[in-house]
Amino acid sequence: TIVGACICYLLSISWLKWGDLIIDTYQDLWLPTQINEGRVLYKDIFYPFGFFAPYLLASAYRLSGVCIYAAAACGIATTIAMSLVIYNISRFFLDELFSLLTTLTFLFVFAFGNVFIFNFILPYTFASTFCILFIASALYFFIKFIFTEEKKYLFFWSIFLTFAFFSRPEMPLPTHAAFILIAVLLAAIVLI
């Protein structure tokens, strides 16, 4: 409830102050509109990132119409999901109080810290914030697998890494390498 209250407070004090609409969010507002008009990403439209963010935003625009509030709703949902993931990851290593403080640090420093630019609500590019959320979710399931050794968590780990790749193909590559290195080390420990 404290995290929810902080999110509501931060939303209220930052409402409609989430960056410059032309400089910061123009691409994420324009691309989904072009997709909904029938243009094809990468064929008709140049886009340097993965396809997940533009098509998700295009779906949101189909539901609500082209509106900055639809993009902000995606950003708010991403912020809430990231807060939950950070809290759950930190609970593996910290008690409830420090996990709460970790989550609040994310909210105040990263999600809303730079209200006017580079925030999670209307980011410079949704592809990056989605990718960060998916990598953090993959990390959660990987740690959960290490603690429980249930294979279903490896399935969820791979799903979230795939979504991260679909958001920003270049960002999860070091993450893939790190997970492979950890898997090799764990296998070596088990075999020894």
Side-chain angles (χ1 to χ4, degrees):
T1 57
I2 294 172
V3 171
C6 284
I7 290 173
C8 291
Y9 168 73
L10 290 168
L11 280 172
S12 69
I13 67 168
S14 69
W15 193 254
L16 298 180
K17 297 176 189 169
W18 300 309
D20 188 296
L21 292 178
I22 306 269
I23 296 169
D24 298 334
T25 60
Y26 175 74
Q27 181 172 287
D28 281 331
L29 297 176
W30 179 78
L31 280 174
T33 306
Q34 297 298 308
I35 290 170
N36 285 339
E37 290 175 358
R39 291 182 181 81
V40 178
L41 199 62
Y42 308 121
K43 179 184 173 202
D44 302 323
I45 306 168
F46 171 76
Y47 186 60
F49 307 122
F51 64 86
F52 184 81
Y55 281 100
L56 179 75
L57 289 169
S59 298
Y61 290 167
R62 272 188 228 119
L63 293 174
S64 68
V66 178
C67 177
I68 193 74
Y69 295 116
C74 286
I76 291 167
T78 302
T79 301
I80 292 168
M82 190 69 181
S83 298
L84 291 170
V85 169
I86 288 172
Y87 180 82
N88 286 324
I89 288 173
S90 64
R91 283 296 293 137
F92 286 116
F93 309 104
L94 303 170
D95 64 8
E96 289 179 4
L97 175 64
F98 286 108
S99 295
L100 173 67
L101 292 174
T102 302
T103 306
L104 293 178
T105 300
F106 161 73
L107 288 172
F108 280 91
V109 175
F110 299 106
F112 293 93
N114 294 317
V115 172
F116 302 106
I117 190 169
F118 302 125
N119 59 74
F120 265 64
I121 308 302
L122 284 178
Y124 180 73
T125 176
F126 276 98
S128 295
T129 55
F130 290 158
C131 185
I132 291 167
L133 172 63
F134 294 141
I135 288 174
S137 300
L139 177 63
Y140 167 76
F141 285 111
F142 190 75
I143 295 170
K144 188 86 168 165
F145 167 73
I146 290 173
F147 279 99
T148 64
E149 296 184 11
E150 293 183 37
K151 294 187 183 197
K152 67 180 179 183
Y153 295 119
L154 280 181
F155 173 74
F156 291 119
W157 165 75
S158 64
I159 293 293
F160 280 106
L161 276 183
T162 302
F163 280 127
F165 183 79
F166 290 159
S167 298
R168 294 255 340 230
E170 75 283 1
M171 279 180 71
L173 292 179
T175 307
H176 281 96
F179 281 127
I180 290 170
L181 177 64
I182 291 169
V184 168
L185 290 174
L186 288 175
I189 291 170
V190 169
L191 293 176
I192 293 177

mmCIF file of all heavy atoms in Angstrom, residues 76-109:
data_model
loop_
_atom_site.group_PDB
_atom_site.id
_atom_site.type_symbol
_atom_site.label_atom_id
_atom_site.label_comp_id
_atom_site.label_asym_id
_atom_site.label_seq_id
_atom_site.Cartn_x
_atom_site.Cartn_y
_atom_site.Cartn_z
ATOM 1 N N ILE A 76 2.370 4.075 -17.211
ATOM 2 C CA ILE A 76 1.971 3.861 -15.815
ATOM 3 C C ILE A 76 1.928 2.366 -15.509
ATOM 4 O O ILE A 76 2.405 1.917 -14.464
ATOM 5 C CB ILE A 76 0.622 4.547 -15.529
ATOM 6 C CG1 ILE A 76 0.789 6.070 -15.567
ATOM 7 C CG2 ILE A 76 0.051 4.108 -14.191
ATOM 8 C CD1 ILE A 76 -0.520 6.844 -15.606
ATOM 9 N N ALA A 77 1.382 1.575 -16.439
ATOM 10 C CA ALA A 77 1.345 0.120 -16.242
ATOM 11 C C ALA A 77 2.761 -0.445 -16.172
ATOM 12 O O ALA A 77 3.042 -1.327 -15.343
ATOM 13 C CB ALA A 77 0.550 -0.540 -17.370
ATOM 14 N N THR A 78 3.662 0.053 -17.002
ATOM 15 C CA THR A 78 5.059 -0.390 -16.972
ATOM 16 C C THR A 78 5.708 -0.035 -15.638
ATOM 17 O O THR A 78 6.438 -0.837 -15.053
ATOM 18 C CB THR A 78 5.849 0.243 -18.130
ATOM 19 O OG1 THR A 78 5.223 -0.104 -19.366
ATOM 20 C CG2 THR A 78 7.289 -0.229 -18.151
ATOM 21 N N THR A 79 5.431 1.163 -15.135
ATOM 22 C CA THR A 79 5.992 1.596 -13.850
ATOM 23 C C THR A 79 5.492 0.723 -12.710
ATOM 24 O O THR A 79 6.264 0.304 -11.840
ATOM 25 C CB THR A 79 5.642 3.075 -13.584
ATOM 26 O OG1 THR A 79 6.168 3.863 -14.652
ATOM 27 C CG2 THR A 79 6.193 3.560 -12.271
ATOM 28 N N ILE A 80 4.206 0.429 -12.699
ATOM 29 C CA ILE A 80 3.635 -0.425 -11.646
ATOM 30 C C ILE A 80 4.226 -1.832 -11.731
ATOM 31 O O ILE A 80 4.634 -2.409 -10.714
ATOM 32 C CB ILE A 80 2.100 -0.450 -11.746
ATOM 33 C CG1 ILE A 80 1.531 0.930 -11.381
ATOM 34 C CG2 ILE A 80 1.504 -1.537 -10.870
ATOM 35 C CD1 ILE A 80 0.059 1.105 -11.707
ATOM 36 N N ALA A 81 4.304 -2.381 -12.944
ATOM 37 C CA ALA A 81 4.867 -3.723 -13.108
ATOM 38 C C ALA A 81 6.336 -3.757 -12.692
ATOM 39 O O ALA A 81 6.779 -4.699 -12.011
ATOM 40 C CB ALA A 81 4.708 -4.184 -14.557
ATOM 41 N N MET A 82 7.087 -2.725 -13.062
ATOM 42 C CA MET A 82 8.508 -2.676 -12.690
ATOM 43 C C MET A 82 8.663 -2.571 -11.175
ATOM 44 O O MET A 82 9.568 -3.189 -10.601
ATOM 45 C CB MET A 82 9.178 -1.494 -13.390
ATOM 46 C CG MET A 82 10.665 -1.493 -13.269
ATOM 47 S SD MET A 82 11.389 -2.848 -14.209
ATOM 48 C CE MET A 82 13.097 -2.589 -13.850
ATOM 49 N N SER A 83 7.798 -1.824 -10.528
ATOM 50 C CA SER A 83 7.840 -1.718 -9.066
ATOM 51 C C SER A 83 7.615 -3.078 -8.417
ATOM 52 O O SER A 83 8.316 -3.453 -7.462
ATOM 53 C CB SER A 83 6.786 -0.729 -8.568
ATOM 54 O OG SER A 83 7.031 0.554 -9.061
ATOM 55 N N LEU A 84 6.650 -3.827 -8.937
ATOM 56 C CA LEU A 84 6.383 -5.171 -8.408
ATOM 57 C C LEU A 84 7.567 -6.109 -8.623
ATOM 58 O O LEU A 84 7.941 -6.875 -7.728
ATOM 59 C CB LEU A 84 5.128 -5.760 -9.052
ATOM 60 C CG LEU A 84 3.803 -5.104 -8.683
ATOM 61 C CD1 LEU A 84 2.682 -5.621 -9.570
ATOM 62 C CD2 LEU A 84 3.492 -5.363 -7.220
ATOM 63 N N VAL A 85 8.162 -6.040 -9.792
ATOM 64 C CA VAL A 85 9.296 -6.917 -10.098
ATOM 65 C C VAL A 85 10.490 -6.568 -9.207
ATOM 66 O O VAL A 85 11.143 -7.459 -8.646
ATOM 67 C CB VAL A 85 9.663 -6.827 -11.600
ATOM 68 C CG1 VAL A 85 10.989 -7.504 -11.883
ATOM 69 C CG2 VAL A 85 8.568 -7.431 -12.456
ATOM 70 N N ILE A 86 10.778 -5.284 -9.051
ATOM 71 C CA ILE A 86 11.901 -4.871 -8.204
ATOM 72 C C ILE A 86 11.674 -5.313 -6.766
ATOM 73 O O ILE A 86 12.588 -5.818 -6.107
ATOM 74 C CB ILE A 86 12.121 -3.352 -8.300
ATOM 75 C CG1 ILE A 86 12.719 -3.004 -9.662
ATOM 76 C CG2 ILE A 86 13.017 -2.841 -7.181
ATOM 77 C CD1 ILE A 86 12.815 -1.536 -9.949
ATOM 78 N N TYR A 87 10.462 -5.134 -6.282
ATOM 79 C CA TYR A 87 10.162 -5.562 -4.915
ATOM 80 C C TYR A 87 10.372 -7.069 -4.760
ATOM 81 O O TYR A 87 10.998 -7.532 -3.804
ATOM 82 C CB TYR A 87 8.733 -5.179 -4.526
ATOM 83 C CG TYR A 87 8.383 -5.592 -3.122
ATOM 84 C CD1 TYR A 87 8.762 -4.804 -2.038
ATOM 85 C CD2 TYR A 87 7.701 -6.776 -2.870
ATOM 86 C CE1 TYR A 87 8.464 -5.189 -0.743
ATOM 87 C CE2 TYR A 87 7.398 -7.173 -1.575
ATOM 88 C CZ TYR A 87 7.783 -6.376 -0.518
ATOM 89 O OH TYR A 87 7.502 -6.762 0.765
ATOM 90 N N ASN A 88 9.844 -7.840 -5.711
ATOM 91 C CA ASN A 88 9.955 -9.298 -5.617
ATOM 92 C C ASN A 88 11.393 -9.788 -5.760
ATOM 93 O O ASN A 88 11.789 -10.751 -5.103
ATOM 94 C CB ASN A 88 9.048 -9.969 -6.648
ATOM 95 C CG ASN A 88 7.592 -9.879 -6.251
ATOM 96 O OD1 ASN A 88 7.264 -9.961 -5.084
ATOM 97 N ND2 ASN A 88 6.728 -9.682 -7.222
ATOM 98 N N ILE A 89 12.188 -9.147 -6.615
ATOM 99 C CA ILE A 89 13.599 -9.530 -6.727
ATOM 100 C C ILE A 89 14.328 -9.220 -5.423
ATOM 101 O O ILE A 89 15.084 -10.039 -4.905
ATOM 102 C CB ILE A 89 14.283 -8.803 -7.906
ATOM 103 C CG1 ILE A 89 13.791 -9.360 -9.242
ATOM 104 C CG2 ILE A 89 15.802 -8.941 -7.818
ATOM 105 C CD1 ILE A 89 14.283 -8.601 -10.451
ATOM 106 N N SER A 90 14.086 -8.046 -4.883
ATOM 107 C CA SER A 90 14.802 -7.669 -3.663
ATOM 108 C C SER A 90 14.389 -8.529 -2.469
ATOM 109 O O SER A 90 15.172 -8.704 -1.538
ATOM 110 C CB SER A 90 14.605 -6.181 -3.364
ATOM 111 O OG SER A 90 13.251 -5.901 -3.095
ATOM 112 N N ARG A 91 13.185 -9.092 -2.488
ATOM 113 C CA ARG A 91 12.732 -9.952 -1.385
ATOM 114 C C ARG A 91 13.552 -11.244 -1.287
ATOM 115 O O ARG A 91 13.587 -11.875 -0.239
ATOM 116 C CB ARG A 91 11.242 -10.300 -1.533
ATOM 117 C CG ARG A 91 10.324 -9.195 -1.150
ATOM 118 C CD ARG A 91 10.391 -8.810 0.311
ATOM 119 N NE ARG A 91 9.877 -9.896 1.130
ATOM 120 C CZ ARG A 91 10.430 -10.317 2.257
ATOM 121 N NH1 ARG A 91 11.489 -9.744 2.724
ATOM 122 N NH2 ARG A 91 9.905 -11.312 2.928
ATOM 123 N N PHE A 92 14.222 -11.647 -2.366
ATOM 124 C CA PHE A 92 15.093 -12.815 -2.283
ATOM 125 C C PHE A 92 16.278 -12.558 -1.346
ATOM 126 O O PHE A 92 16.813 -13.492 -0.761
ATOM 127 C CB PHE A 92 15.637 -13.197 -3.664
ATOM 128 C CG PHE A 92 14.630 -13.841 -4.558
ATOM 129 C CD1 PHE A 92 14.240 -13.222 -5.731
ATOM 130 C CD2 PHE A 92 14.063 -15.068 -4.247
ATOM 131 C CE1 PHE A 92 13.318 -13.811 -6.572
ATOM 132 C CE2 PHE A 92 13.136 -15.671 -5.081
ATOM 133 C CZ PHE A 92 12.762 -15.035 -6.243
ATOM 134 N N PHE A 93 16.685 -11.297 -1.252
ATOM 135 C CA PHE A 93 17.918 -10.972 -0.551
ATOM 136 C C PHE A 93 17.734 -10.044 0.654
ATOM 137 O O PHE A 93 18.624 -9.957 1.493
ATOM 138 C CB PHE A 93 18.902 -10.316 -1.529
ATOM 139 C CG PHE A 93 19.081 -11.098 -2.781
ATOM 140 C CD1 PHE A 93 18.489 -10.695 -3.963
ATOM 141 C CD2 PHE A 93 19.819 -12.278 -2.788
ATOM 142 C CE1 PHE A 93 18.642 -11.427 -5.133
ATOM 143 C CE2 PHE A 93 19.981 -13.017 -3.940
ATOM 144 C CZ PHE A 93 19.387 -12.592 -5.121
ATOM 145 N N LEU A 94 16.610 -9.342 0.712
ATOM 146 C CA LEU A 94 16.394 -8.334 1.745
ATOM 147 C C LEU A 94 15.085 -8.600 2.481
ATOM 148 O O LEU A 94 14.198 -9.289 1.961
ATOM 149 C CB LEU A 94 16.338 -6.934 1.117
ATOM 150 C CG LEU A 94 17.551 -6.501 0.289
ATOM 151 C CD1 LEU A 94 17.247 -5.215 -0.455
ATOM 152 C CD2 LEU A 94 18.778 -6.340 1.167
ATOM 153 N N ASP A 95 14.939 -7.991 3.644
ATOM 154 C CA ASP A 95 13.657 -8.106 4.348
ATOM 155 C C ASP A 95 12.658 -7.116 3.736
ATOM 156 O O ASP A 95 12.975 -6.381 2.797
ATOM 157 C CB ASP A 95 13.833 -7.890 5.852
ATOM 158 C CG ASP A 95 14.314 -6.491 6.214
ATOM 159 O OD1 ASP A 95 14.379 -5.624 5.328
ATOM 160 O OD2 ASP A 95 14.623 -6.270 7.400
ATOM 161 N N GLU A 96 11.445 -7.104 4.259
ATOM 162 C CA GLU A 96 10.363 -6.300 3.675
ATOM 163 C C GLU A 96 10.672 -4.800 3.672
ATOM 164 O O GLU A 96 10.378 -4.103 2.705
ATOM 165 C CB GLU A 96 9.055 -6.554 4.417
ATOM 166 C CG GLU A 96 8.476 -7.922 4.166
ATOM 167 C CD GLU A 96 7.200 -8.162 4.936
ATOM 168 O OE1 GLU A 96 6.703 -7.240 5.617
ATOM 169 O OE2 GLU A 96 6.683 -9.289 4.858
ATOM 170 N N LEU A 97 11.248 -4.296 4.750
ATOM 171 C CA LEU A 97 11.536 -2.862 4.846
ATOM 172 C C LEU A 97 12.532 -2.430 3.780
ATOM 173 O O LEU A 97 12.305 -1.446 3.071
ATOM 174 C CB LEU A 97 12.066 -2.505 6.239
ATOM 175 C CG LEU A 97 12.507 -1.039 6.409
ATOM 176 C CD1 LEU A 97 11.314 -0.098 6.234
ATOM 177 C CD2 LEU A 97 13.175 -0.834 7.739
ATOM 178 N N PHE A 98 13.632 -3.161 3.627
ATOM 179 C CA PHE A 98 14.629 -2.786 2.637
ATOM 180 C C PHE A 98 14.134 -3.027 1.209
ATOM 181 O O PHE A 98 14.517 -2.308 0.286
ATOM 182 C CB PHE A 98 15.959 -3.495 2.916
ATOM 183 C CG PHE A 98 16.671 -2.919 4.100
ATOM 184 C CD1 PHE A 98 16.732 -3.624 5.283
ATOM 185 C CD2 PHE A 98 17.253 -1.664 4.033
ATOM 186 C CE1 PHE A 98 17.374 -3.096 6.381
ATOM 187 C CE2 PHE A 98 17.899 -1.129 5.128
ATOM 188 C CZ PHE A 98 17.964 -1.834 6.312
ATOM 189 N N SER A 99 13.285 -4.007 1.018
ATOM 190 C CA SER A 99 12.671 -4.207 -0.300
ATOM 191 C C SER A 99 11.754 -3.040 -0.637
ATOM 192 O O SER A 99 11.725 -2.560 -1.781
ATOM 193 C CB SER A 99 11.888 -5.510 -0.331
ATOM 194 O OG SER A 99 12.750 -6.600 -0.170
ATOM 195 N N LEU A 100 11.021 -2.576 0.343
ATOM 196 C CA LEU A 100 10.173 -1.401 0.151
ATOM 197 C C LEU A 100 11.024 -0.180 -0.190
ATOM 198 O O LEU A 100 10.703 0.568 -1.122
ATOM 199 C CB LEU A 100 9.342 -1.137 1.408
ATOM 200 C CG LEU A 100 8.536 0.162 1.424
ATOM 201 C CD1 LEU A 100 7.420 0.114 0.385
ATOM 202 C CD2 LEU A 100 7.978 0.417 2.802
ATOM 203 N N LEU A 101 12.125 0.008 0.536
ATOM 204 C CA LEU A 101 13.009 1.143 0.268
ATOM 205 C C LEU A 101 13.645 1.047 -1.121
ATOM 206 O O LEU A 101 13.808 2.062 -1.802
ATOM 207 C CB LEU A 101 14.080 1.244 1.349
ATOM 208 C CG LEU A 101 13.586 1.640 2.739
ATOM 209 C CD1 LEU A 101 14.712 1.569 3.751
ATOM 210 C CD2 LEU A 101 12.953 3.026 2.716
ATOM 211 N N THR A 102 13.963 -0.155 -1.545
ATOM 212 C CA THR A 102 14.504 -0.356 -2.888
ATOM 213 C C THR A 102 13.483 0.054 -3.947
ATOM 214 O O THR A 102 13.806 0.747 -4.919
ATOM 215 C CB THR A 102 14.899 -1.836 -3.085
ATOM 216 O OG1 THR A 102 15.843 -2.191 -2.086
ATOM 217 C CG2 THR A 102 15.476 -2.081 -4.455
ATOM 218 N N THR A 103 12.250 -0.356 -3.752
ATOM 219 C CA THR A 103 11.185 -0.014 -4.698
ATOM 220 C C THR A 103 10.916 1.481 -4.703
ATOM 221 O O THR A 103 10.738 2.094 -5.770
ATOM 222 C CB THR A 103 9.903 -0.797 -4.359
ATOM 223 O OG1 THR A 103 10.216 -2.182 -4.298
ATOM 224 C CG2 THR A 103 8.822 -0.565 -5.394
ATOM 225 N N LEU A 104 10.895 2.103 -3.536
ATOM 226 C CA LEU A 104 10.678 3.552 -3.459
ATOM 227 C C LEU A 104 11.831 4.312 -4.107
ATOM 228 O O LEU A 104 11.605 5.358 -4.740
ATOM 229 C CB LEU A 104 10.485 3.988 -2.004
ATOM 230 C CG LEU A 104 9.217 3.483 -1.321
ATOM 231 C CD1 LEU A 104 9.163 3.948 0.127
ATOM 232 C CD2 LEU A 104 7.974 3.925 -2.075
ATOM 233 N N THR A 105 13.036 3.799 -3.975
ATOM 234 C CA THR A 105 14.179 4.426 -4.651
ATOM 235 C C THR A 105 13.981 4.393 -6.158
ATOM 236 O O THR A 105 14.225 5.395 -6.848
ATOM 237 C CB THR A 105 15.490 3.718 -4.263
ATOM 238 O OG1 THR A 105 15.655 3.810 -2.854
ATOM 239 C CG2 THR A 105 16.677 4.350 -4.963
ATOM 240 N N PHE A 106 13.542 3.248 -6.666
ATOM 241 C CA PHE A 106 13.243 3.179 -8.105
ATOM 242 C C PHE A 106 12.211 4.220 -8.501
ATOM 243 O O PHE A 106 12.382 4.931 -9.494
ATOM 244 C CB PHE A 106 12.746 1.773 -8.477
ATOM 245 C CG PHE A 106 12.013 1.742 -9.785
ATOM 246 C CD1 PHE A 106 12.692 1.859 -10.981
ATOM 247 C CD2 PHE A 106 10.628 1.630 -9.819
ATOM 248 C CE1 PHE A 106 12.016 1.860 -12.191
ATOM 249 C CE2 PHE A 106 9.940 1.612 -11.016
ATOM 250 C CZ PHE A 106 10.643 1.735 -12.210
ATOM 251 N N LEU A 107 11.144 4.332 -7.727
ATOM 252 C CA LEU A 107 10.072 5.271 -8.082
ATOM 253 C C LEU A 107 10.553 6.721 -8.064
ATOM 254 O O LEU A 107 10.306 7.472 -9.001
ATOM 255 C CB LEU A 107 8.885 5.100 -7.135
ATOM 256 C CG LEU A 107 8.065 3.838 -7.320
ATOM 257 C CD1 LEU A 107 7.037 3.700 -6.204
ATOM 258 C CD2 LEU A 107 7.387 3.835 -8.680
ATOM 259 N N PHE A 108 11.234 7.107 -6.993
ATOM 260 C CA PHE A 108 11.615 8.509 -6.842
ATOM 261 C C PHE A 108 12.814 8.897 -7.708
ATOM 262 O O PHE A 108 12.894 10.039 -8.159
ATOM 263 C CB PHE A 108 11.914 8.831 -5.368
ATOM 264 C CG PHE A 108 10.668 9.051 -4.559
ATOM 265 C CD1 PHE A 108 10.060 7.996 -3.904
ATOM 266 C CD2 PHE A 108 10.095 10.309 -4.469
ATOM 267 C CE1 PHE A 108 8.899 8.191 -3.166
ATOM 268 C CE2 PHE A 108 8.934 10.510 -3.740
ATOM 269 C CZ PHE A 108 8.335 9.452 -3.081
ATOM 270 N N VAL A 109 13.736 7.967 -7.948
ATOM 271 C CA VAL A 109 14.946 8.314 -8.686
ATOM 272 C C VAL A 109 14.801 8.038 -10.181
ATOM 273 O O VAL A 109 15.198 8.848 -11.004
ATOM 274 C CB VAL A 109 16.168 7.569 -8.107
ATOM 275 C CG1 VAL A 109 17.412 7.834 -8.943
ATOM 276 C CG2 VAL A 109 16.397 7.968 -6.665
#
